[in-house]
Amino acid sequence: MADTQQADGQAAAGGTATATTAEKRAGKQADRLARQIRAFARTHGGSAEGQLAHIGRGRTRIALVGANGEWGTLVADSLPAARQAAERAGIELRDDFDGELAAKVRTGPYEWSRMAGIQVGGPANPAAS
């Protein structure tokens, strides 16, 4: 019985250490993302709004729209890290990238040229060989 308790105690201690390491990593990532979000906001009109979206494998996209209409995205390894980053950066998070937020986005020639291949009437994709 004593051997079993010791083994269980070690497993529990190992689990706690792993969680602490993961939490530290998420915290560091949230700090880094918060710095990037603040820099984006500073560069694009002094403020920004964001929206979080799951993109697969546990990762979360942070879509940002600056006060001047410029937009960009960042990716966090988890939803909690993305939420922490937004909170630390002091931006407002929207539930959806709805019409109101989308109306603030300003697209320029760069974005239109990147989207041209997927629009109806745009250049065709090269034929597969």
Side-chain angles (χ1 to χ4, degrees):
M1 182 75 176
D3 291 338
T4 304
Q5 288 175 342
Q6 182 180 7
D8 291 343
Q10 288 173 348
T16 302
T18 302
T20 302
T21 302
E23 288 170 359
K24 285 181 183 178
R25 186 173 37 241
K28 285 182 180 182
Q29 183 184 45
D31 287 341
R32 180 177 46 81
L33 289 168
R35 282 192 304 274
Q36 292 174 314
I37 292 168
R38 283 191 298 269
F40 176 88
R42 211 174 23 255
T43 304
H44 297 290
S47 65
E49 295 178 64
Q51 190 265 335
L52 307 180
H54 174 74
I55 58 173
R57 296 190 180 195
R59 301 187 88 192
T60 300
R61 179 190 71 204
I62 306 168
L64 300 168
V65 179
N68 66 355
E70 294 290 322
W71 61 279
T73 61
L74 295 168
V75 176
D77 289 337
S78 67
L79 180 59
R83 283 196 190 285
Q84 284 179 3
E87 184 178 297
R88 291 175 187 177
I91 66 166
E92 178 185 346
L93 284 179
R94 299 291 192 102
D95 291 332
D96 296 307
F97 203 95
D98 58 7
E100 185 180 335
L101 185 58
K104 294 179 180 183
V105 173
R106 185 171 52 95
T107 55
Y110 173 76
E111 288 84 8
W112 285 108
S113 69
R114 294 207 47 202
M115 293 185 286
I118 60 172
Q119 292 183 17
V120 176
N125 289 329
S129 28

